[in-house]
Amino acid sequence: MTLGKRALALIFPVVLAGYVLAASLIYYVQSSSIAGLERARLWQQIGMLTAVFQNDVMQNRSFLYSLVEGGAVRLFVNEPNADYRRMALGVRLQQSITSLSEDRKRFISAAIIRPPLTVDYYFEDSDDPFAEITPQQLEHIRRTIDSPRLSSWTYLDTPGIEPLIVHSEFIDPVTFNRPVASAKAESILVQTAVRPKAFLELKRALEKEYGATVEIARHQFLAQGGLSATATLGPSLFARLTPEPGFLEERLSTLRMLLALGAIALSLCTIVLVLVLVRRYITNPIARLDRQLTEVMTGNRSALPDMDEIGEIGRLSVNVKRLHDQSMHSFDLVQNASWTDTLTGISNREYFNIRSTQLLEEAAEAGIGCTLLFIDVDNFKFVNDKHGHKIGDELLKTLADRISDIVARIVVERQLPAGLFARLSGDEFAIMLRCQPGAGTITELSGDILALFAEGFEVLDKAYPVTASIGIAVYPEDARTLPELIANADAAMYQAKSQGKNGSARYSRSLHEKRNRRRRIEEELRILNADEQFHLVYMPIVNGQGKVTGCEALLRWTSPVLGNVTPDEFIPIAETTGLFSKIDWWVINRAMADYGHVRKLFGAETILCINISSAELYTKSISDHFCDCADRHGVDARLIEIELTETFAVKLGEQSRRNIEILRAKGFRISIDDFGAGYTSVQQIIEYPAETIKLDRELVESLTRSAALPTLRALIALCHAQDMSVIAEGVDTPEKMSLLAAAGCDLYQGYLISRPLPLDDLGVWAMQRLLDTARETMRSAERRAQG
Ligand SMILES: Nc1nc2c(ncn2[C@@H]2O[C@H](COP(=O)(O)OP(=O)(O)OP(=O)(O)O)[C@@H](O)[C@H]2O)c(=O)[nH]1
């Protein structure tokens, strides 16, 4: 939810509740004052009604007196001519009506009654020529006659008939004044009646407004609670108006509705106003700050702009900007540190990867090439081991400085874009330049780097025997991605190393194929079924008398995909990829399973030689595996000779030395294979924990030249002095054999004796050899017999 919506959600109920509360209070106060006002108005209205009524009463009375006092009654009584007197009275009445009331349509009537109750004259101001006095008026006359009073008035309100105010007065027929009480029976009675039109209209209007009848009664009304008003219309005539119960409620509900609408309208106005202000001074600045921060975090903006807000929001913005600037500064420091190699101060692998990716993208856009030089120091370990890591560190730092200088110089001289130089790891460095081979830049660069090592690499005034191997790969010819480019330059560097180190090599197609072949071998090794694709061949070892004393088990691999793959090719791959255990364990098991057969062919004391990977001796379980296999196949440990390569034996570690001691303690023999292929000191020969030394075929080749015979003899004597028997490999001529025999060699192995043979062929070979020996023995016997 946005800040604006939150503000709305907060403000709306608060403002609304405030206004509803205020409206309720106003309603509470207003409702009682409305009730008071209505009550006062009601009393006023009923008072007005009373006044109007009394005016009508007064008019009627005036009408009566105008008839009596004006002589009209006297004229009527004294005039003997009945028609005249009627007409004269009629004229007088009309005059009186005209003078008393402006309303010509008003109903007025007059009647003269002679005793005992004869309506002598009746006049009515109406359109009805046959109009007669009403029974109600007669009734009033009768009641007036019956009462002791000489005059009276009343309000006649009979259902179905329009109400009338009626006045009756006794007149003495002689004096035409009010008679004495005793003369009442002989007096005439004059009655006038008017219709109280104004009163009735007002009454009707009130009844309509209040929705209730104006009650008129001859008795006093009892006091009533709520909204009600009473009035005295005459001495015994009362009126009361009690509005219908919902009258006030209607007013109040209108008030309520007005207040509710007012509260809502005011709430909305207030909310809109508050929201505008909140948005202007709070949410908009915060939203702007948020947007700017988001842009900074997503990289669409480099820094927060200066804020000109005031107050808390302004301070917040300034502080956020300050915080951001500080974190950017810290981030830059951390990033620089994380991209710098701590030892040499040049870029490290992370930065190299990031920057190189950009360089390749730029090169791709510009349609130009990039060249990667992968540099590895040769024999650096030697400096570490011999002179200590401090010197090693110094060497790396000095080398980094010197290569940096070379790169900077060449870039300036050849006007190239800035190059990238980084330490990838250990003694590995890399240079990325936006140039292609051909212009001589790469040749000059690699030549200058190699020249640094020409006289040994000088550090702190001392030269160290290290060189550099440089692998070169070019984008886009050799690779299209950075990982591929690095891998190819690395492969080229290994190529340079394998060509004798201290040189450079460019990544090539053949190198590519070599790597592919290596990858395919690795893949096949991972998935192969050893029982189906591996088999062992055996190469006999004989003593000076030609007796087979042992057989070396040699592994052969026939892959359905790759065909025959030699151990020289796949064993190093298996060792570097950790697949050697799978192979070794199969070889050990298979060779021991075959041992019974070998033994049958060559005798109970035949030694079985099994090669194991040098890496195998780093695993703890190797001795257990040998023992388990020997037990399983019933092979005496003394008849098993485990062959280790000389290069491995030179650098025996703690674990491998312990493993060899365990194996020897269990009775297994140890043999040092390929002796003489590397560089071994006399000291190391003395320290070899082995029963047998196998002279490498190259060594045999060079030492079986007549001039080297004393050396061969001395070497074999040295081994004998260490209690080690000597086997010569590569014995392929009788001459070599006789020379080796002359030098004291114990055992022989080579094509002169036999090539490596499958087990079945080994049997045939053994039979053949027996036959040959038998034939030779017979021939010697014959020669002796002839001689
Ligand atoms: N002094 C020092 N040695 C390091 C550092 N990092 C790695 N090494 C060592 O550098 C050596 C590099 O190994 P290799 O490249 O296999 O040794 P090498 O003798 O140069 O082998 P080749 O390259 O085959 O000639 C290892 O012994 C590492 O322990 C470091 O920061 N300082």
Side-chain angles (χ1 to χ4, degrees):
M1 196 191 268
T2 60
L3 201 56
K5 283 182 185 158
R6 271 167 210 258
L8 180 65
L10 193 71
I11 292 166
F12 186 79
V14 171
V15 170
L16 193 65
Y19 278 111
V20 166
L21 189 67
S24 305
L25 282 173
I26 291 171
Y27 175 74
Y28 177 73
V29 174
Q30 281 293 98
S31 60
S32 50
S33 54
I34 283 179
L37 273 175
E38 282 301 324
R39 195 170 295 116
R41 198 166 71 85
L42 184 67
W43 279 96
Q44 189 197 8
Q45 301 273 39
I46 204 95
M48 226 156 82
L49 188 71
T50 308
V52 171
F53 181 79
Q54 282 169 357
N55 186 41
D56 284 340
V57 171
M58 286 298 297
Q59 279 194 359
N60 194 30
R61 184 173 289 140
S62 301
F63 180 48
L64 177 68
Y65 286 140
S66 75
L67 289 182
V68 175
E69 302 290 327
V73 176
R74 183 192 294 262
L75 181 70
F76 182 81
V77 172
N78 292 337
E79 179 59 52
N81 186 323
D83 289 338
Y84 175 73
R85 79 175 175 227
R86 280 181 179 278
M87 190 194 71
L89 187 57
V91 170
R92 285 291 184 90
L93 282 172
Q94 280 297 346
Q95 283 171 348
S96 294
I97 288 167
T98 309
S99 64
L100 283 173
S101 171
E102 290 165 4
D103 184 0
R104 293 293 306 123
K105 294 211 168 142
R106 189 175 186 188
F107 177 86
I108 293 185
S109 73
I112 297 174
I113 289 93
R114 288 184 194 272
L117 188 63
T118 309
V119 180
D120 201 9
Y121 178 77
Y122 178 74
F123 170 81
E124 185 181 294
D125 188 14
S126 76
D127 297 334
D128 183 4
F130 304 107
E132 285 184 352
I133 192 164
T134 62
Q136 290 78 22
Q137 284 173 283
L138 279 178
E139 178 57 30
H140 178 249
I141 290 167
R142 203 171 286 124
R143 274 207 304 273
T144 308
I145 292 167
D146 290 346
S147 77
R149 300 176 59 191
L150 294 173
S151 72
S152 73
W153 73 273
T154 191
Y155 175 72
L156 288 180
D157 185 9
T158 315
I161 298 169
E162 286 279 283
L164 291 172
I165 294 171
V166 177
H167 271 89
S168 300
E169 178 94 25
F170 280 96
I171 307 267
D172 188 299
V174 179
T175 63
F176 290 101
N177 285 325
R178 185 170 287 177
V180 290
S182 54
K184 185 180 173 186
E186 289 82 35
S187 299
I188 57 171
L189 191 140
V190 181
Q191 186 190 62
T192 56
V194 294
R195 180 150 302 132
K197 196 176 168 196
F199 167 76
L200 290 175
E201 278 172 5
L202 183 60
K203 180 170 168 275
R204 252 180 245 120
L206 288 179
E207 284 173 345
K208 192 175 173 200
E209 183 182 346
Y210 290 101
T213 314
V214 177
E215 300 164 87
I216 295 174
R218 294 184 194 285
H219 56 80
Q220 195 95 27
F221 286 104
L222 289 174
Q224 209 173 14
L227 192 59
S228 179
T230 56
T232 306
L233 300 177
S236 56
L237 191 66
F238 304 93
R240 183 171 71 179
L241 178 57
T242 308
E244 66 168 3
F247 173 76
L248 204 54
E249 182 51 36
E250 206 175 290
R251 295 281 184 288
L252 291 178
S253 76
T254 309
L255 174 70
R256 270 202 302 272
M257 201 173 75
L258 283 174
L259 285 173
L261 286 175
I264 290 170
L266 277 171
S267 298
L268 289 176
C269 290
T270 310
I271 286 162
V272 168
L273 187 68
V274 171
L275 272 185
V276 167
L277 294 175
V278 165
R279 203 167 277 180
R280 164 75 184 83
Y281 294 106
I282 301 174
T283 55
N284 277 0
I286 290 178
R288 189 163 52 246
L289 185 63
D290 176 47
R291 194 174 55 249
Q292 287 163 350
L293 265 177
T294 310
E295 284 171 6
V296 168
M297 284 164 73
T298 51
N300 294 333
R301 183 189 273 269
S302 58
L304 287 173
D306 288 326
M307 308 286 179
D308 53 1
E309 301 287 339
I310 49 166
E312 289 86 345
I313 303 285
R315 276 202 300 284
L316 175 69
S317 308
V318 170
N319 285 338
V320 167
K321 179 175 163 46
R322 206 174 290 156
L323 198 66
H324 172 259
D325 292 347
Q326 281 170 4
S327 15
M328 284 312 289
H329 180 63
S330 311
F331 177 71
D332 286 346
L333 290 178
V334 171
Q335 195 170 58
N336 280 342
S338 73
W339 285 349
T340 305
D341 177 49
T342 43
L343 179 68
T344 59
I346 62 172
S347 305
N348 62 11
R349 183 186 281 274
E350 274 70 43
Y351 184 71
F352 180 80
N353 285 340
I354 294 168
R355 184 70 194 120
S356 295
T357 310
Q358 292 168 351
L359 280 177
L360 291 191
E361 281 167 8
E362 286 164 18
E365 272 173 30
I368 54 168
C370 269
T371 303
L372 173 64
L373 278 80
F374 197 108
I375 306 160
D376 186 281
V377 181
D378 301 322
N379 309 320
F380 177 64
K381 192 172 176 317
F382 168 79
V383 177
N384 263 346
D385 294 350
K386 184 119 196 277
H387 303 282
H389 271 247
K390 237 182 169 163
I391 294 294
D393 287 353
E394 258 334 294
L395 193 152
L396 292 175
K397 279 198 266 183
T398 312
L399 180 61
D401 288 346
R402 291 185 189 161
I403 296 179
S404 287
D405 291 346
I406 293 172
V407 173
R409 179 175 48 75
I410 289 181
V411 160
V412 171
E413 278 173 11
R414 295 186 173 256
Q415 296 180 342
L416 295 171
L420 178 62
F421 174 47
R423 180 181 174 218
L424 300 187
S425 66
D427 58 353
E428 290 177 349
F429 295 85
I431 299 169
M432 181 76 95
L433 278 187
R434 274 181 47 180
C435 68
Q436 269 172 310
T441 312
I442 301 307
T443 314
E444 183 187 346
L445 183 59
S446 48
D448 286 359
I449 293 170
L450 291 173
L452 292 174
F453 304 91
E455 309 286 324
F457 190 78
E458 203 180 303
V459 181
L460 303 173
D461 296 333
K462 202 170 168 223
Y464 294 90
V466 290
T467 50
S469 293
I470 304 173
I472 301 163
V474 180
Y475 170 86
E477 285 100 304
D478 298 339
R480 298 211 146 260
T481 62
L482 182 66
E484 210 187 334
L485 193 68
I486 295 175
N488 291 351
D490 188 30
M493 186 274 292
Y494 274 107
Q495 177 72 4
K497 273 200 196 294
S498 67
Q499 285 165 357
K501 302 185 176 177
N502 192 24
S504 63
R506 164 92 191 264
Y507 179 76
S508 64
R509 186 79 215 153
S510 69
L511 209 58
H512 178 78
E513 273 154 18
K514 227 163 136 184
R515 270 184 50 207
N516 273 357
R517 166 100 180 146
R518 191 188 150 85
R519 198 174 305 129
R520 289 178 69 197
I521 289 175
E522 189 185 324
E523 280 164 11
E524 287 303 312
L525 278 178
R526 282 188 196 283
I527 56 168
L528 68 66
N529 180 338
D531 286 328
E532 283 173 10
Q533 297 180 31
F534 281 161
H535 68 275
L536 292 181
V537 291
Y538 292 89
M539 194 165 188
I541 299 165
V542 298
N543 62 14
Q545 289 75 48
K547 179 177 166 29
V548 175
T549 60
C551 276
E552 182 182 359
L554 296 165
L555 178 61
R556 294 290 180 265
W557 177 23
T558 310
S559 159
V561 179
L562 303 166
N564 288 333
V565 189
T566 65
D568 289 347
E569 197 178 5
F570 73 80
I571 291 294
I573 297 171
E575 283 184 348
T576 52
T577 51
L579 296 164
F580 54 87
S581 276
K582 178 179 173 183
I583 298 170
D584 282 341
W585 289 34
W586 185 89
V587 170
I588 295 165
N589 188 50
R590 185 72 255 157
M592 290 208 196
D594 288 350
Y595 181 68
H597 197 76
V598 173
R599 200 175 161 191
K600 269 187 207 148
L601 295 176
F602 305 116
E605 291 303 307
T606 310
I607 305 282
L608 177 65
C609 304
I610 300 173
N611 292 279
I612 62 165
S613 158
S614 36
E616 195 66 69
L617 279 181
Y618 287 109
T619 62
K620 277 186 180 166
S621 51
I622 185 65
S623 52
D624 291 340
H625 187 61
F626 263 105
C627 291
D628 289 349
C629 278
D631 284 352
R632 195 172 333 121
H633 299 292
V635 181
D636 186 349
R638 286 180 312 104
L639 301 173
I640 301 294
E641 194 159 276
I642 302 164
E643 294 196 5
L644 308 173
T645 59
E646 179 222 40
T647 43
F648 171 70
V650 170
K651 46 185 179 185
L652 276 185
E654 217 16 63
Q655 178 66 44
S656 38
R657 195 174 281 279
R658 207 174 309 126
N659 272 337
I660 290 175
E661 274 161 18
I662 294 169
L663 285 165
R664 291 184 80 196
K666 302 234 182 212
F668 292 99
R669 298 167 63 87
I670 302 295
S671 158
I672 307 300
D673 202 5
D674 300 331
F675 181 83
Y679 302 93
T680 315
S681 68
V682 171
Q683 177 69 26
Q684 282 162 340
I685 297 177
I686 292 167
E687 285 180 359
Y688 279 164
E691 275 70 35
T692 310
I693 281 220
K694 287 180 95 173
L695 302 183
D696 182 65
R697 76 165 63 82
E698 300 281 331
L699 185 71
V700 169
E701 182 72 40
S702 61
L703 292 184
T704 47
R705 291 187 198 112
S706 52
L709 202 59
T711 313
L712 180 63
R713 192 173 288 129
L715 177 63
I716 293 173
L718 181 62
C719 295
H720 284 165
Q722 289 300 308
D723 253 357
M724 293 192 262
S725 51
V726 178
I727 302 178
E729 288 179 331
V731 181
D732 45 15
T733 61
E735 292 75 31
K736 272 187 195 167
M737 187 143 173
S738 50
L739 276 169
L740 284 161
C745 185
D746 305 304
L747 301 164
Y748 310 91
Q749 187 180 1
Y751 286 0
L752 180 68
I753 299 135
S754 169
R755 287 172 173 273
L757 296 169
L759 206 52
D760 293 343
D761 295 352
L762 193 66
V764 175
W765 178 83
M767 291 296 279
Q768 186 65 47
R769 199 171 159 78
L770 268 178
L771 285 173
D772 289 350
T773 314
R775 250 185 241 126
E776 190 54 39
T777 312
M778 276 171 64
R779 257 190 235 120
S780 316
E782 275 171 19
R783 271 201 299 276
R784 266 201 306 275
Q786 282 166 4

